[in-house]
Amino acid sequence: MKNLWEVLARRRDYRLVLGAGLVSLTGDWILRIGLAFHVYALTGSTLASGGLLLASFLPLVLLGSLAGVFVDRWDRRRTMVITNLLHALVLLPLLLVRDGDTLWVIYLVILAQSCLQQFFRPAEQSLIPALVDAPQLVTANSLNSQANDISRLVGAGVLAAAGGLPLLALVDAATYLIAMAFLLGVRHRPERVKVERVGGVRVAVRGIKGEWVEGIRICLSGPALRLVFVFGLVTGVGEGVMSTLFAPFVSAELGGDGTAYGLITSSQAVGGIAGGLIAAAVGSRFSAAKLWGFEAVAFGLIDLALFLYPLFWKGLAPAFVCMVAVGVPGAFMIAGLMTVIQRLTDDASRGRVFGALFATEGLAVLVGIVAAGALGDVVGIIPMLVVQGLGFSVGGVVVLSRLALLTPARVDQLV
């Protein structure tokens, strides 16, 4: 509780970064739900709706790792400010979308936004350790991950079906400008040694390539970071399966309708908010690596209970209970994992590590989506979803069996 008070009351720069993320994420959820609705309304095609997912994931896979090189070169605060401004600007073409003939504008906007996000996310995660003390990292990461759950509840469905795309675009653009104003108030400035870069374009390209290769080497050089990436791969595949088959699961296995599906998926945010508050208040008392491992096991076991109970019990109530409950270990797990990564890396390489990790997870999610689409009807919905729960549980057990790699003094500093 002490760290929670100190982070929120005494860390002005962190509060501004947290507020910026909360505001812009709320706008993102409004736009995300609204675009899914309007694209299907314009086309009546699920393939067209799937194109939104493809446009958002391709930059993550193709650009994520390379973007980390520039995040490590640039001032992280300035990077976040500029990307927020560009986010607001690239939304403006949505004002021109009127019918299916201009659908390509939506795809270009989503593609551009996803490209910008590859610079913002590593910059944000790399900046947080500079804004709080080391013992406060679990608390800060808990609050940061909680912003997504809060914004989902606030933003999901708001203006999604009313006002059309122009209103959605203007609202989301406004949230980015407000977030930019928050970030402009951050006083932290990095203490970096300036490296003079001379030579032409060819020399510059070689330098960027060298830094990218060095970042990949850092990611793969130690067993601790390799464990982080393997965990991201395995659980990312499971998340892809979950995102593809959960709606069919609610419909075919639970007998729920679209309203039930929306309420069940939103209920996880309730647990996430509660878990985030608890993690922010008491998480710093525990080893970040143990939080990651134990809570991954708990997360997977609750998911397994959710996916398997329809074999023995008919009804929607257990699904709501499980989705609320799983949000609590989910919040602890993310806070522990992010803290471990931040402590395993130094400031000079942190952007490249996070960029590569996000790209790896994105690729794994795409693999899971393809696998679920190809095998869901053959293997069955429940057996495929069980893979997701097992991935988290087994991954958590592996993490707990490797605590010696993850808890040296430089990685886990307990209060």
Side-chain angles (χ1 to χ4, degrees):
M1 190 65 72
K2 176 184 175 183
N3 278 338
L4 177 59
W5 167 254
E6 289 183 350
V7 167
L8 288 178
R10 300 182 182 179
R11 299 295 176 182
R12 175 184 176 276
D13 283 352
Y14 174 76
R15 285 201 313 273
L16 290 171
V17 171
L18 181 65
L22 181 60
V23 171
S24 62
L25 281 171
T26 300
D28 282 349
W29 275 105
I30 293 173
L31 185 69
R32 191 178 308 175
I33 301 296
L35 282 181
F37 175 86
H38 285 288
V39 166
Y40 187 76
L42 287 172
T43 65
S45 168
T46 57
L47 181 61
S49 298
L52 289 176
L53 186 65
L54 182 62
S56 64
F57 265 101
L58 277 179
L60 173 59
V61 176
L62 301 177
L63 183 61
S65 180
L66 181 61
V69 174
F70 295 96
V71 169
D72 283 337
R73 283 181 162 215
W74 298 337
D75 180 307
R76 274 94 186 240
R77 168 192 162 276
R78 187 177 297 123
T79 299
M80 294 166 69
V81 168
I82 293 173
T83 52
N84 270 286
L85 176 60
L86 293 176
H87 265 297
L89 293 176
V90 300
L91 284 166
L92 296 181
L94 290 179
L95 301 177
L96 305 175
V97 177
R98 292 291 183 269
D99 51 39
D101 292 336
T102 51
L103 192 66
W104 59 272
V105 175
I106 296 178
Y107 293 130
L108 284 181
V109 168
I110 295 300
L111 191 67
Q113 281 207 304
S114 184
C115 288
L116 291 171
Q117 198 66 11
Q118 307 323 308
F119 295 89
F120 184 89
R121 289 182 66 201
E124 181 185 40
Q125 291 296 334
S126 300
L127 180 62
I128 289 175
L131 304 181
V132 299
D133 294 334
Q136 299 169 338
L137 266 179
V138 171
T139 299
N141 285 317
S142 299
L143 292 170
N144 209 50
S145 65
Q146 190 185 36
N148 188 56
D149 291 314
I150 295 174
S151 63
R152 184 192 308 183
L153 284 181
V154 174
V158 177
L159 302 175
L165 285 181
L167 182 58
L168 291 174
L170 291 174
V171 169
D172 198 19
T175 63
Y176 279 115
L177 294 177
I178 294 171
M180 185 183 72
F182 277 121
L183 293 169
L184 285 171
V186 174
R187 296 169 182 163
H188 170 76
R189 298 295 184 273
E191 296 179 4
R192 297 198 175 196
V193 178
K194 288 188 176 181
V195 178
E196 186 176 354
R197 306 182 192 278
V198 296
V201 174
R202 190 172 298 178
V203 173
V205 170
R206 283 203 299 265
I208 293 170
K209 179 182 177 181
E211 291 174 34
W212 178 75
V213 171
E214 181 190 16
I216 298 299
R217 182 189 59 78
I218 292 171
C219 295
L220 300 177
S221 61
L225 277 178
R226 286 201 298 269
L227 177 59
V228 168
F229 276 80
V230 171
F231 183 88
L233 274 171
V234 173
T235 57
V237 171
E239 288 297 300
V241 172
M242 173 80 169
S243 66
T244 305
L245 295 181
F246 192 66
F249 171 76
V250 172
S251 176
E253 305 296 342
L254 302 185
D257 56 14
T259 301
Y261 169 71
L263 291 173
I264 290 172
T265 53
S266 297
S267 64
Q268 183 175 352
V270 176
I273 292 171
L277 285 174
I278 298 170
V282 303
S284 59
R285 300 179 185 178
F286 306 100
S287 157
K290 288 182 179 179
L291 281 180
W292 172 21
F294 280 116
E295 302 307 321
V297 173
F299 187 94
L301 291 177
I302 295 173
D303 269 1
L304 287 173
L306 168 64
F307 302 143
L308 293 175
Y309 90 81
L311 299 176
F312 311 99
W313 180 276
K314 299 299 180 183
L316 294 173
F320 284 100
V321 173
C322 288
M323 287 299 280
V324 172
V326 81
V328 177
F332 276 89
M333 175 181 65
I334 293 172
L337 174 58
M338 291 297 104
T339 302
V340 166
I341 297 170
Q342 288 162 346
R343 291 175 176 171
L344 281 171
T345 54
D346 57 28
D347 185 68
S349 63
R350 197 168 285 134
R352 282 169 286 175
V353 171
F354 274 112
L357 177 62
F358 294 149
T360 299
E361 290 175 343
L363 177 61
V365 169
L366 282 179
V367 171
I369 290 171
V370 173
L375 301 176
D377 291 334
V378 178
V379 178
I381 295 173
I382 290 179
M384 288 296 295
L385 287 172
V386 164
V387 171
Q388 192 256 11
L390 287 175
F392 277 98
S393 293
V394 174
V397 170
V398 173
V399 169
L400 293 174
S401 70
R402 299 290 190 272
L403 287 178
L405 297 175
L406 301 168
T407 55
R410 67 185 180 89
V411 174
D412 225 345
Q413 302 171 19
L414 301 181
V415 177

